[in-house]
Amino acid sequence: VPKLVPVPSDPIEFDKLSLVWGKPRQHPLEVEEWSSFLDYEGRIMDPDALKKRIFYGGVEHNLRKEVWAFLLGYYSYDSTYAERQYVVSVKTAEYMTIKNQWQSISPEQAKRFTKFRERRGLIEKDVVRTDRSLSFYEGDDNPNVRLLHDILLTYSFYNFDLGYCQGMSDLLSPILFIMQDESEAFWCFVSLMERLGPNFNRDQNGMHSQLFALSKLVELLDSPLHNYFKQNDCLNYFFCFRWILIQFKREFEYDKTLRLWEVLWTHYLSEHLHLYVCIAILKRHRGKIMGEEMDFDTLLKFINELSGQIELDPVLRDAEALCVCAGENGAASIPPGTPPALPIPSIYQDD
């Protein structure tokens, strides 16, 4: 048993703080209440009220397909039922056009197209490892695994500069699971990648800016923990890399990930709530981390083993409390342009 050293107390007496500020989570948004947000033509009358409601309760599972399309910017909040129908038909045709580009590559052409073969190979390797324990993706020759493959390969033609990187299949999987439609899943994924794309840049600037912001926020909200990381060469915060890269996708059970994502996508309180979620989790374990004097490798192992052990609702309440507590100083600690700060407006507004 590791000997425990005395741990400096949490500067913002965290338990008291969450009681004061982190409001209780509500039940998920249900069909009847959802229809009260829409006018007779299907426009969302008060997007901010809707986002706040989703922030505190999430969305009932059978409503997600419709609501996620708004949260991800595939539908604009002021669109009517008719306009959304039109968007679906236009974007389906556009998707097929892009998909045909790689489908029409002959074996002869593929021999001379290294980049294409490399990407296809990477995607094929990754999709067969993605969420296979879920009935939606399990078993041999699963058509949904094929769809994951097709959407990711099409995305690598749509955004040729970024292409395909490991982790993208993790971000697509829940979207396809909810949308259950190839084209709609693709465009919702495109929207998500508009925000999270910089996480996958070769120079990792998107990840570095978030880890830097995280370090600034911990310094602001828990200086003893920050100093501990500093003394133990953990100031790069790389132990949070996976959390941020794929938005906690491997830390929670699947249905909890769906809930967390819809809460994050509301951008209610902050578009960087995911960073406060990181701090909330670290704070819950600060006594153990500092008490056992974990070095970087031990800490990384400890963090990875938290997977599946984290309770979502308490962490969301703590993250909310931390965000309120950090206030303007918190916002100022996050450099402009830090993902997911890219434009949120709907992706077809130019049409």
Side-chain angles (χ1 to χ4, degrees):
V1 177
K3 66 175 187 23
L4 292 181
V5 297
V7 172
S9 67
D10 189 326
I12 38 185
E13 294 199 32
F14 200 54
D15 294 338
K16 284 185 201 149
L17 177 139
S18 36
L19 291 175
V20 180
W21 270 323
K23 297 190 184 70
R25 311 294 304 158
Q26 298 171 12
H27 61 86
L29 176 71
E30 291 163 3
V31 176
E32 212 168 309
E33 191 187 347
W34 162 244
S35 56
S36 74
F37 281 98
L38 304 171
D39 72 11
Y40 67 100
E41 285 191 286
R43 294 182 194 85
I44 290 176
M45 296 177 285
D46 189 344
D48 292 336
L50 176 65
K51 289 174 195 170
K52 181 177 179 178
R53 175 65 182 88
I54 295 170
F55 177 83
Y56 283 111
V59 179
E60 201 181 57
H61 188 70
N62 60 359
L63 255 186
R64 282 187 166 131
K65 180 176 164 67
E66 199 173 345
V67 177
W68 279 26
F70 288 97
L71 288 175
L72 285 168
Y74 177 58
Y75 295 154
S76 66
Y77 288 99
D78 58 2
S79 62
T80 63
Y81 294 124
E83 284 164 345
R84 296 198 282 275
Q85 243 178 324
Y86 173 71
V87 160
V88 169
S89 63
V90 170
K91 298 310 271 187
T92 302
E94 194 181 331
Y95 172 74
M96 290 317 296
T97 305
I98 308 164
K99 183 177 179 179
N100 286 336
Q101 290 170 0
W102 62 263
Q103 281 189 318
S104 64
I105 293 174
S106 68
E108 279 304 301
Q109 189 187 355
K111 272 184 203 161
R112 299 166 177 78
F113 196 169
T114 313
K115 199 93 173 159
F116 171 65
R117 291 198 317 276
E118 281 170 2
R119 286 177 179 183
R120 189 175 59 186
L122 259 179
I123 291 169
E124 281 166 2
K125 256 209 320 264
D126 277 359
V127 295
V128 296
R129 297 189 296 217
T130 305
D131 296 323
R132 294 304 291 270
S133 58
L134 213 69
S135 61
F136 188 73
Y137 292 116
E138 75 185 357
D140 298 336
D141 298 324
N142 183 313
N144 297 321
V145 175
R146 183 83 222 157
L147 284 181
L148 274 181
H149 167 277
D150 290 1
I151 293 170
L152 289 166
L153 198 48
T154 305
Y155 182 77
S156 84
F157 270 67
Y158 172 81
N159 186 345
F160 202 81
D161 292 343
L162 186 58
Y164 176 77
C165 313
Q166 242 184 335
M168 287 183 184
S169 64
D170 270 304
L171 292 174
L172 173 60
S173 157
I175 293 177
L176 178 60
F177 174 69
I178 293 299
M179 302 313 285
Q180 312 248 331
D181 174 275
E182 185 176 356
S183 164
E184 288 178 34
F186 172 80
W187 291 111
C188 286
F189 179 69
V190 164
S191 275
L192 184 63
M193 292 305 292
E194 283 290 300
R195 309 172 200 185
L196 298 179
N199 287 2
F200 296 93
N201 284 351
R202 297 234 182 305
D203 60 9
Q204 295 197 324
N205 59 358
M207 287 302 296
H208 286 306
S209 66
Q210 287 168 95
L211 294 168
F212 171 78
L214 183 57
S215 124
K216 287 285 171 224
L217 290 170
V218 174
E219 189 173 13
L220 177 72
L221 291 161
D222 193 338
S223 49
L225 184 59
H226 178 79
N227 292 334
Y228 175 82
F229 286 149
K230 194 173 178 175
Q231 285 150 13
N232 290 275
D233 286 333
C234 298
L235 221 45
N236 57 20
Y237 282 83
F238 272 167
F239 45 89
C240 296
F241 194 91
R242 182 177 78 185
W243 289 358
I244 293 174
L245 181 73
I246 52 175
Q247 303 286 289
F248 307 96
K249 163 71 168 38
R250 296 191 191 169
E251 313 317 314
F252 293 100
E253 294 139 24
Y254 207 75
D255 61 325
K256 293 283 194 289
T257 301
L258 306 177
R259 171 65 31 86
L260 171 64
W261 281 11
E262 62 205 10
V263 169
L264 294 178
W265 295 340
T266 63
H267 288 197
Y268 180 74
L269 285 189
S270 164
E271 64 185 355
H272 296 105
L273 190 79
H274 66 297
L275 298 179
Y276 293 98
V277 171
C278 292
I279 302 168
I281 301 171
L282 292 174
K283 272 187 167 297
R284 289 193 161 252
H285 300 282
R286 70 193 293 283
K288 193 172 167 65
I289 292 168
M290 295 157 84
E292 295 182 12
E293 299 188 293
M294 295 184 184
D295 60 10
F296 181 81
D297 292 338
T298 317
L299 182 59
L300 183 63
K301 182 173 182 293
F302 171 70
I303 296 271
N304 284 340
E305 285 168 359
L306 286 179
S307 173
Q309 311 293 316
I310 309 167
E311 281 187 81
L312 181 61
D313 280 354
V315 161
L316 281 175
R317 288 183 70 169
D318 291 355
E320 179 195 352
L322 285 162
C323 187
V324 171
C325 183
E328 287 178 8
N329 291 336
S333 305
I334 302 171
T338 299
L342 281 157
I344 294 301
S346 78
I347 44 179
Y348 51 86
Q349 58 188 14
D350 311 326
D351 295 2

